[in-house]
């Protein structure tokens, strides 16, 4: 059989690990770029060169065609240029968009010119292809930040024959962030004469919704788990986009994220003090003692340790923790380690909890990847009581680390964790359904009972460690969809 022709893919996103990361989006764009590159496709990944990116870690190459670029934006000429970079000689190369006037702030997101920053990224992806005379089979765009790309292809760049056959794929990682702005941004972003392509009701209400526009105009929509793909068609999870999504129903697929086991594997993780495996778990207990000591907590043999690593936001179900945890901690013997930052109220709660239960609760406010690995390795139970979770990565990391996930049955959590039944020995975690304090209380007491039953505990830990959510499988699903789209 003849070898299949490699695809030409231009991927544009706001973050990619390890350069810039606030959440799972960064893990996914990095892993997918690496996967597609390793499969022989021609992948051009573009992201902003934020000032927080350390140049020292990169090999940077000047690309003559990508110098001296300019775009009319926000009533002025914005100058930019693009470099090619790689992290190491084996890895894929990617492109970094340089525009110091827009990307030198301390944060990736927020600020008054956020729409301008991401429209520059979106359009620069198109203009990069033009300059390189790279004829993409498809653009793969992610979340609201680059979701206007299909409309720009149909309007501003419609004249360019280079994109005559180009398709667009929009992956929704989180429908909670839609990029909604007043419609006075239309002039500044160059879409004032393209209002036919925008949602008329939104325009009537003086707003424009970037993600909704992408949902309406991309050729293919994907989201990051099959369950979330179903959930967002209804009002509870669709967050106002359910109608737009239902109108494109046949074009929406859910593909569970994969895990990069080169980074997340207890057998060879350089970020944890003691490596271990499913057949030799001695290192796990040592990691538990080490991380408890590091966080200033007591180590008591047989006292279960619950871990959380999370953005502390509405999405993540922190309010259930606030309602349920204090009483549970008073009545049961377990410890809790939390790593994260976010809404001030959530941070205050964990500061309070830490003072209320000294020696048993530890809270590290901030973003710290090595500590995230040590919490994964040292905890017995990993808690994700999410209100909604498009996919979630930590529960899958937890499975590999023998850390039993305690999750709410939603989105990718429902697709990757099965409730353990001691009678059959089947299942990989503790799964609760109702989004309320009773649901989480049931989940935690169930996990505590399970932990006390040594035989069942061994089984659930073992079951989880056998699971394989690697990109090899999930990446193939993307590849198949891309091929079908390009063929059709
Ligand atoms: P989301 O993208 O909604 O935040 P995911 O579970 O998909 O949720 O991905 C979160 C990713 O970010 C994981 O890799 C997790 O380890 C990491 N992460 C989240 N908060 C922190 C933190 N405070 N420090 C280090 N890593 C974090
Ligand atoms: C989002 C979601 C998370 C998902 C991640 C990567 O931020 O909240 O569930 O795993 O994107 O797709």
């Amino acid at each position: 059989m003849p070898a299949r022709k490699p695809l030409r893919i231009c991927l544009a996103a706001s973050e990619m690990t390890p350069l810039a990361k606030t959440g799972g989006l960064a893990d996914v764009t990095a892993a997918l770029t690496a996967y597609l590159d390793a499969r022989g496709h021609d992948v051009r990944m573009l992201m902003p060169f934020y000032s927080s990116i350390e140049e020292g870690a990169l090999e940077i190459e000047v690309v003559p065609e990508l110098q001296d670029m300019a775009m009319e934006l926000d009533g002025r000429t914005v100058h930019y240029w693009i470099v090619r970079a790689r992290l190491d000689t084996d890895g894929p190369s990617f492109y970094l968009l340089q525009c110091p006037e827009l990307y030198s702030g301390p944060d990736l997101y927020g600020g008054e010119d956020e729409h301008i920053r991401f429209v520059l990224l979106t359009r620069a992806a198109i203009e990069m292809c033009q300059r390189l005379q790279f004829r993409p089979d498809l653009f793969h765009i992610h979340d609201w930040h680059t979701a206007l790309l299909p409309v720009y292809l149909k309007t501003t760049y419609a004249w360019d024959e280079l994109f005559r056959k180009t398709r667009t794929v929009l992956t929704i990682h989180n429908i909670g962030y839609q990029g909604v702005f007043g419609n006075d941004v239309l002039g500044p972003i160059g879409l004032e004469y393209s209002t036919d392509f925008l949602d008329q009701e939104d325009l009537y209400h003086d707003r424009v919704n970037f993600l909704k526009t992408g949902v309406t105009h991309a050729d293919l929509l994907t989201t990051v788990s099959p369950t979330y793909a179903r959930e967002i068609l209804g009002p509870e999870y669709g967050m106002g986009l359910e109608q737009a999504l239902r109108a494109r129903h046949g074009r929406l697929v859910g593909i569970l994220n994969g895990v990069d086991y080169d980074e997340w594997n207890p057998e060879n993780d350089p970020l944890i003090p003691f490596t271990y495996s499913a057949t030799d778990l001695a290192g796990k207990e040592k990691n538990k003692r080490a991380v408890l000591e590091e966080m200033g907590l007591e180590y008591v043999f047989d006292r279960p340790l619950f871990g959380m690593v999370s953005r502390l936001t509405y999405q993540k179900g922190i309010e259930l923790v606030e309602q349920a945890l204090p009483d549970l901690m008073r009545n049961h013997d377990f410890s809790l380690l939390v790593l994260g930052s976010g809404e001030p109220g959530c941070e205050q709660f964990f500061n309070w909890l830490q003072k209320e239960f000294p020696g048993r609760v530890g809270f590290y406010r901030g973003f710290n990847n090595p500590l995230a690995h040590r919490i994964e390795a040292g905890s017995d139970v990993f808690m994700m009581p999410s209100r909604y979770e498009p996919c979630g990565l930590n529960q899958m990391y937890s499975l590999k680390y023998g850390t039993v996930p305690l999750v709410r049955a939603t989105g990718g959590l429902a697709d990757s964790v099965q409730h353990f039944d001691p009678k059959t020995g089947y299942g990989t975690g503790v799964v609760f359904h109702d989004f309320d304090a009773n649901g989480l209380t049931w989940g935690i007491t169930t996990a505590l009972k399970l932990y006390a039953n040594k035989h069942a505990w061994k089984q659930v830990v073992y079951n989880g460690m056998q699971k394989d959510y690697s990109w090899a499988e999930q990446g193939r699903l993307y590849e198949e969809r891309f091929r079908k789209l390009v063929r059709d």
Side-chain angles (χ1 to χ4, degrees):
M1 217 170 68
R4 300 179 89 184
K5 226 173 109 208
L7 294 168
R8 289 181 304 266
I9 300 166
C10 179
L11 195 149
S14 59
E15 40 184 282
M16 179 172 84
T17 203
L19 302 182
K21 166 168 170 174
T22 67
L25 169 63
D27 299 82
V28 174
T29 53
L32 203 52
T33 302
Y35 171 83
L36 293 168
D37 176 80
R39 294 279 298 159
H41 301 294
D42 189 350
V43 192
R44 314 291 175 108
M45 194 285 172
L46 179 70
M47 65 174 285
F49 203 145
Y50 302 108
S51 57
S52 53
I53 295 178
E54 279 180 36
E55 282 192 43
L58 297 169
E59 289 171 27
I60 293 181
E61 190 190 328
V62 171
V63 185
E65 297 94 321
L66 301 178
Q67 301 298 300
D68 295 323
M69 301 175 77
M71 193 182 296
E72 291 307 310
L73 264 183
D74 209 12
R76 62 187 197 275
T77 306
V78 173
H79 295 275
Y80 69 100
W81 70 103
I82 295 173
V83 294
R84 187 159 42 222
R86 60 171 80 225
L87 279 156
D88 54 62
T89 34
D90 300 336
S93 62
F94 42 86
Y95 292 84
L96 294 173
L97 166 56
Q98 299 252 25
C99 182
E101 71 169 290
L102 290 177
Y103 301 124
S104 55
D107 299 316
L108 268 53
Y109 303 118
E112 279 179 6
D113 60 358
E114 195 177 33
H115 56 295
I116 300 294
R117 298 207 308 274
F118 291 118
V119 163
L120 177 68
L121 170 66
T122 305
R123 293 179 53 185
I126 299 174
E127 298 196 1
M128 173 175 86
C129 295
Q130 291 178 314
R131 289 278 189 113
L132 295 172
Q133 279 300 293
F134 177 72
R135 190 181 290 278
D137 292 311
L138 59 96
F139 281 103
H140 189 189
I141 52 179
H142 298 261
D143 277 350
W144 74 263
H145 318 99
T146 45
L148 288 182
L149 191 140
V151 163
Y152 282 113
L153 276 189
K154 291 177 185 180
T155 58
T156 318
Y157 302 93
W159 59 270
D160 196 341
E161 185 281 333
L162 191 67
F163 305 115
R164 201 166 49 84
K165 290 188 175 169
T166 301
R167 309 289 179 168
T168 49
V169 181
L170 167 63
T171 294
I172 301 170
H173 295 263
N174 194 331
I175 219 162
Y177 303 88
Q178 299 180 3
V180 181
F181 301 94
N183 63 3
D184 53 346
V185 306
L186 291 176
I189 64 174
L191 289 181
E192 70 271 50
Y193 303 115
S194 307
T195 48
D196 287 355
F197 290 83
L198 304 174
D199 184 88
Q200 297 305 306
E201 199 184 325
D202 279 344
L203 288 178
Y204 176 78
H205 292 289
D206 291 332
R207 58 177 188 244
V208 51
N209 181 319
F210 283 28
L211 188 61
K212 192 196 276 184
T213 309
V215 163
T216 305
H217 290 283
D219 295 311
L220 175 68
L221 305 170
T222 77
T223 186
V224 288
S225 68
T227 294
Y228 196 58
R230 284 191 300 277
E231 286 175 340
I232 55 179
L233 296 176
E236 191 184 347
Y237 292 95
M239 297 196 166
L241 295 200
E242 56 276 12
Q243 263 179 9
L245 284 161
R246 278 205 298 270
R248 308 286 325 278
H249 188 185
R251 291 264 161 193
L252 170 66
V253 302
I255 302 176
L256 197 71
N257 286 331
V259 173
D260 181 354
Y261 289 121
D262 287 340
E263 213 206 318
W264 293 94
N265 182 350
E267 291 183 37
N268 51 30
D269 184 342
L271 298 174
I272 61 175
F274 306 96
T275 51
Y276 59 94
S277 67
T279 48
D280 180 5
L281 284 165
K284 184 154 180 67
E285 191 67 18
K286 292 185 195 161
N287 284 305
K288 176 173 172 179
R289 183 189 274 266
V291 75
L292 284 167
E293 280 169 6
E294 174 184 352
M295 298 285 289
L297 304 193
E298 292 161 9
Y299 170 81
V300 176
F301 183 69
D302 258 357
R303 177 190 280 172
L305 172 61
F306 286 60
M308 282 186 87
V309 176
S310 181
R311 292 183 293 115
L312 300 179
T313 62
Y314 170 84
Q315 173 191 347
K316 302 292 179 179
I318 309 298
E319 71 195 68
L320 301 193
V321 180
E322 294 182 12
Q323 290 160 19
L325 251 278
D327 274 353
L328 282 163
M329 296 221 63
R330 280 181 202 111
N331 299 328
H332 300 272
D333 188 26
F334 64 95
S335 322
L336 173 72
L337 277 182
V338 180
L339 163 62
S341 61
E343 285 159 20
C346 301
E347 294 181 359
Q348 275 159 22
F349 166 74
F350 286 116
N351 277 324
W352 171 82
L353 199 69
Q354 179 168 245
K355 289 205 187 84
E356 190 72 10
F357 299 98
R360 285 174 59 206
V361 176
F363 173 44
Y364 182 107
R365 183 186 164 280
F367 195 91
N368 185 331
N369 183 50
L371 182 57
H373 283 247
R374 294 197 290 274
I375 292 179
E376 276 293 0
S379 302
D380 297 299
V381 180
F382 196 93
M383 206 157 59
M384 294 179 76
S386 303
R387 178 186 292 273
Y388 72 95
E389 196 62 74
C391 179
L393 295 172
N394 274 114
Q395 80 283 8
M396 296 193 276
Y397 303 156
S398 300
L399 291 170
K400 195 39 99 198
Y401 281 72
T403 305
V404 175
L406 157 51
V407 303
R408 180 167 168 261
T410 181
L413 300 175
D415 291 339
S416 56
V417 183
Q418 294 79 38
H419 187 68
F420 180 76
D421 179 353
K423 287 195 208 93
T424 60
Y426 173 84
T428 54
V430 176
V431 181
F432 70 96
H433 289 262
D434 295 340
F435 186 79
D436 56 30
N438 287 339
L440 179 59
T441 300
W442 178 85
I444 290 179
T445 48
T446 302
L448 289 170
K449 274 186 225 142
L450 196 56
Y451 182 82
N453 175 347
K454 290 300 161 215
H455 179 67
W457 190 255
K458 260 198 191 132
Q459 185 69 52
V460 65
V461 166
Y462 182 82
N463 292 354
M465 292 181 91
Q466 299 314 304
K467 288 280 169 188
D468 180 2
Y469 289 106
S470 68
W471 271 104
E473 187 58 24
Q474 305 315 108
R476 198 176 51 75
L477 298 176
Y478 275 97
E479 245 179 318
E480 275 172 11
R481 288 289 168 173
F482 288 174
R483 288 241 180 245
K484 183 168 181 315
L485 181 68
V486 169
R487 203 173 51 230
D488 290 350

